[in-house]
Amino acid sequence: MSARCGLGQDSHRFLPDGTSKPCMIGGVIFDDVPGFQANSDGDVVYHAICNAITSLTGVLVLGGIADELCLKKGITDSEVYLAKAMEALKGMQVTHVALAIEAKRPKVLPYIPKMRESIARVMHIQVGQVGITATTGEGLTDFGCGDGVQCLAILSVIG
């Protein structure tokens, strides 16, 4: 049995204030900001995890499976994309997922417990196997200036 790590990243800009699309991050709706410029719900956390899985499996989830689901079947829920990505891990067992979110807005910290629960549920792992940190980035990037949200993911597996 071998241990491996996958790395993923995703980011999206916010739609203009006042738009009706909800902001979804880590499977949780944030009511105080607009949704993301994306074909799907734009959940940067789920997308970063999907990209980390792709780095391990070579199976193109975003830009492949997700595009097929979104553009041809109208499925815009990133939870579905992450569930499909998990299927690509054939024989690999997730031991931990570490997430780093950069955003000036929304305030992520109060939602971290709900996000951890949501991620663990979709990935079929324990909440203790999901780690999330959040930073404003001190205004050094567009994310730190409040224009969008970025997420980095490291996925550890055995198998």
Side-chain angles (χ1 to χ4, degrees), residues 12-25 28-37 41-42 44 103-108 111 143 145-149:
H12 287 286
R13 283 192 182 280
F14 290 114
L15 290 166
D17 287 334
T19 57
S20 61
K21 185 177 184 180
C23 179
M24 184 73 70
I25 305 173
V28 176
I29 294 176
F30 287 74
D31 293 322
D32 55 343
V33 292
F36 295 114
Q37 293 176 6
D41 59 20
V44 296
K104 180 177 183 177
R105 63 182 183 137
K107 297 296 181 199
V108 174
Y111 294 89
F143 313 111
C145 290
D147 295 334
V149 177

Side-chain angles (χ1 to χ4, degrees), residues 34-57:
F36 295 114
Q37 293 176 6
N39 290 332
S40 68
D41 59 20
D43 190 322
V44 296
V45 169
Y46 282 3
H47 291 185
I49 298 169
C50 286
N51 285 333
I53 291 171
T54 294
S55 78
L56 286 166
T57 66

Side-chain angles (χ1 to χ4, degrees), residues 58-79:
V59 175
L60 189 60
V61 179
L62 301 181
I65 295 169
D67 279 2
E68 178 83 15
L69 291 168
C70 180
L71 301 174
K72 294 189 178 176
K73 297 185 179 179
I75 299 172
T76 60
D77 184 349
S78 295
E79 182 174 317

